[in-house]
Amino acid sequence: MSKGTLEEFCNSISFILSSSTVEEAFYDKPGNASRRRDIKSVSFKDLVLSALVSKEYYKELCKRGLRKEKPLFDSLYKAVLKSMELGINFAILGTFIQMIPIAYSSISRSLDDTLKKASVTIRSLDENDSIYFSKSLQILGLSYLGEVDSGFDYKSMGKLPLYEVLLHSSSDSAVKNMLEDYKYSKLVADKIEKLGMEKGVLEGFLSVLCQVPDGLIWRKHGGRTAITVSKMSCEALENPKLINELDRFLLENGYNPGSTADIVAVGIALFKLGEWYDKNGVNYFNSMQRGCDRVP
């Protein structure tokens, strides 16, 4: 792939990934920030500005994927540092983490190929990725990230490959989504395809939250609360009249299903990437060259 074509290809990929965060925040979902309102822990502005910061790092990951350059999670570290420099509250940690393997694997012939490569990429995340992940968490100072399953402590993660760290954290819904080949984001993408963007995002959100308790709520407020919210989401899915009741319950208690929102953002990205590959993939891959830079 020529240098110019690679630049344009990765420009498109990075735009889709970063704009998916904006689109996710554009629609109303129970307990989440949106264009209509901020919530206590995050504002719509935070989400939009974080998405703008992320675009350049998604683009670089796209290029590095062609060259198979590692580590990957230094991109998160750089994005967090840049956000701090610009006075931005980096509010898309869970989304960015899930997008890293997708961006890195995006030079493919189709969405299916990208996701197959992303699955391999996730399993190859190593100790250097762990170090950058740990540094990023320390900078962000997230008080609810301490010990996880089996007494494992995030502060000691640099000693293990990041893939093993993720396995320790598999009870978190966003991490579970990654480890299960973006199963829940695919569900969201399917809902969008069948129902359109607005209805698909809402029903996808409720469906994911019904199937798997939200990781952010679990970490901040405990498993019992997360399971209660999950059950209420199942009820709202069956009876849409209960959606407003679920929303009030979440807002009044400060329960933000942020991990579910991250999964939805990735689902929007998968839907849009699928459309983009179908319409534009052939044009780019006709420009492939022979030799060592041939796209896999």
Side-chain angles (χ1 to χ4, degrees):
M1 184 178 286
S2 69
K3 185 176 180 180
T5 304
L6 176 63
E7 186 78 11
E8 288 303 313
F9 186 102
C10 291
N11 265 334
S12 296
I13 294 296
S14 61
F15 175 80
I16 291 169
L17 298 187
S18 59
S19 64
S20 294
T21 289
V22 179
E23 192 136 12
E24 178 273 318
F26 194 76
Y27 298 107
D28 296 328
K29 301 177 300 305
N32 285 166
S34 73
R35 75 188 191 279
R36 300 180 195 277
R37 71 180 184 202
D38 297 334
I39 61 175
K40 185 177 180 180
S41 56
V42 64
S43 70
F44 179 66
K45 181 179 178 181
D46 291 336
L47 295 168
V48 172
L49 294 180
S50 298
L52 290 174
V53 168
S54 71
K55 182 179 183 298
E56 187 64 28
Y57 301 100
Y58 292 147
K59 181 178 177 181
E60 182 60 26
L61 282 162
C62 173
K63 293 179 181 179
R64 287 163 62 182
L66 179 63
R67 303 189 293 264
K68 295 181 169 55
E69 293 180 359
K70 294 187 175 182
L72 281 68
F73 270 68
D74 60 327
S75 61
L76 172 63
Y77 181 63
K78 292 173 184 176
V80 169
L81 287 179
K82 180 59 68 174
S83 297
M84 288 190 64
E85 173 193 322
L86 297 173
I88 295 169
N89 174 28
F90 190 74
I92 60 168
L93 175 66
T95 302
F96 196 99
I97 290 167
Q98 294 178 79
M99 294 290 201
I100 287 174
I102 295 172
Y104 187 80
S105 307
S106 60
I107 300 183
S108 304
R109 292 173 173 82
S110 66
L111 176 60
D112 284 345
D113 286 345
T114 290
L115 291 177
K116 288 175 184 176
K117 288 169 62 178
S119 179
V120 174
T121 297
I122 290 166
R123 285 155 180 78
S124 72
L125 295 171
D126 60 20
E127 292 87 347
N128 288 324
D129 292 303
S130 286
I131 290 169
Y132 280 112
F133 189 25
S134 179
K135 287 182 177 180
S136 301
L137 295 181
Q138 290 171 28
I139 293 171
L140 290 170
L142 302 178
S143 59
Y144 54 87
L145 288 177
E147 291 189 354
V148 291
D149 296 346
S150 303
F152 178 80
D153 194 322
Y154 274 111
K155 298 180 182 66
S156 62
M157 70 171 62
K159 299 176 183 177
L160 294 173
L162 184 55
Y163 177 59
E164 289 191 32
V165 175
L166 295 177
L167 290 175
H168 277 287
S169 309
S170 59
S171 60
D172 182 281
S173 54
V175 174
K176 183 178 176 68
N177 188 45
M178 288 177 68
L179 294 177
E180 297 186 9
D181 300 328
Y182 298 95
K183 169 183 175 180
Y184 300 105
S185 290
K186 289 176 184 175
L187 184 158
V188 173
D190 288 344
K191 294 290 186 182
I192 292 171
E193 184 174 7
K194 292 174 184 175
L195 301 173
M197 186 60 72
E198 186 168 4
K199 290 183 179 179
V201 164
L202 177 57
E203 188 163 318
F205 175 88
L206 292 172
S207 297
V208 171
L209 190 53
C210 173
Q211 291 187 29
V212 56
D214 185 83
L216 182 61
I217 293 178
W218 191 294
R219 290 193 182 282
K220 294 183 75 171
H221 304 286
R224 181 175 296 180
T225 297
I227 291 170
T228 296
V229 171
S230 187
K231 289 179 178 178
M232 291 179 70
S233 183
C234 294
E235 294 168 358
L237 195 60
E238 292 295 322
N239 182 1
K241 292 180 180 179
L242 298 177
I243 293 175
N244 288 336
E245 181 180 326
L246 172 61
D247 187 43
R248 283 194 299 272
F249 174 78
L250 294 171
L251 292 176
E252 288 173 1
N253 290 281
Y255 302 150
N256 171 24
S259 292
T260 307
D262 294 328
I263 292 169
V264 169
V266 177
I268 293 171
L270 296 187
F271 174 76
K272 290 184 171 291
L273 282 173
E275 286 191 324
W276 185 85
Y277 279 118
D278 289 344
K279 293 178 182 177
N280 303 287
V282 172
N283 294 333
Y284 279 102
F285 284 97
N286 282 341
S287 69
M288 284 167 53
Q289 298 177 342
R290 295 178 181 176
C292 62
D293 63 347
R294 188 174 177 85
V295 177

